[in-house]
Amino acid sequence: MSLPTPRLLACSLALLAFSSTAWAQRVVEGDLQQQMSPAEFKAAGLDKLEPTELASLNRWLQGKVEAASAAAVQVAREEGRRAVVEEHRGFFDFGSREPITSVLPGEFRGFAQGRVYVLANGQHWEQTDSANVGGVRRQDPQVSIAPSVSGAWYLQIPGVNTRAKVKRVK
């Protein structure tokens, strides 16, 4: 089973936030007596409340629902923003300056210009310089791809003293 894409995750969170907002609006428009069946209302003991007590409980509950809904919307926005930034890192110069870390599945046999490195996180990076290293073999090595001050990206494998200039192609 594959993990959801950042775009799918962002859409799911937005839908959750929207549905929470819609539910909150429904509760705000009515009171507990309208939202519950008569049996549920009686089973909860709410039929014993004075009208002013019931109104006070309704206002309190509506405030809680509105606050929870606003928090869900904010989380969805933040998660969506993070997912978009992560999905596009390497294509554009925005987001974190932290290195992208992943695994290079399979056997690594050194660098070569034009070679495409497919990472476990789904990103594809093509080597654009002539960096070369011979006699190196690693199985499923960790990789780090970091942006330089000039905006170029460099792929580094721990234990290999050479790094390769790369560009993201997918």
Side-chain angles (χ1 to χ4, degrees):
M1 175 178 215
S2 63
L3 294 176
T5 65
R7 188 172 298 146
L8 178 62
L9 181 61
C11 289
S12 299
L13 289 170
L15 183 60
L16 174 66
F18 175 76
S19 61
S20 297
T21 304
W23 184 79
Q25 186 63 32
R26 210 178 88 221
V27 172
V28 168
E29 290 172 354
D31 60 21
L32 287 171
Q33 203 164 8
Q34 292 172 336
Q35 299 298 316
M36 301 171 86
S37 71
E40 292 171 325
F41 191 78
K42 186 173 183 168
L46 298 175
D47 61 324
K48 299 173 189 165
L49 295 177
E50 296 292 324
T52 56
E53 293 172 321
L54 185 56
S56 179
L57 178 59
N58 279 322
R59 282 190 304 277
W60 176 85
L61 181 59
Q62 289 169 3
K64 289 292 186 181
V65 169
E66 288 171 359
S69 178
V73 167
Q74 183 62 30
V75 166
R77 283 186 183 137
E78 290 172 8
E79 289 297 319
R81 207 172 284 126
R82 268 192 292 259
V84 167
V85 167
E86 271 309 304
E87 182 178 347
H88 294 289
R89 282 189 71 210
F91 285 126
F92 307 107
D93 190 22
F94 70 89
S96 172
R97 302 292 299 168
E98 293 295 313
I100 295 169
T101 57
S102 188
V103 170
L104 186 59
E107 186 175 43
F108 171 73
R109 293 184 175 199
F111 296 121
Q113 189 168 9
R115 184 174 287 168
V116 175
Y117 305 97
V118 180
L119 307 184
N121 66 9
Q123 296 177 354
H124 295 209
W125 293 81
E126 181 180 355
Q127 183 174 335
T128 59
D129 68 358
S130 60
N132 196 344
V133 62
V136 174
R137 288 189 177 198
R138 302 272 192 286
Q139 189 65 36
D140 301 323
Q142 290 285 326
V143 297
S144 174
I145 302 176
S148 67
V149 176
S150 67
W153 292 79
Y154 288 91
L155 184 141
Q156 176 76 50
I157 296 178
V160 176
N161 292 332
T162 303
R163 63 183 190 158
K165 185 176 179 181
V166 292
K167 70 176 181 178
R168 186 161 173 203
V169 293
K170 182 176 175 190

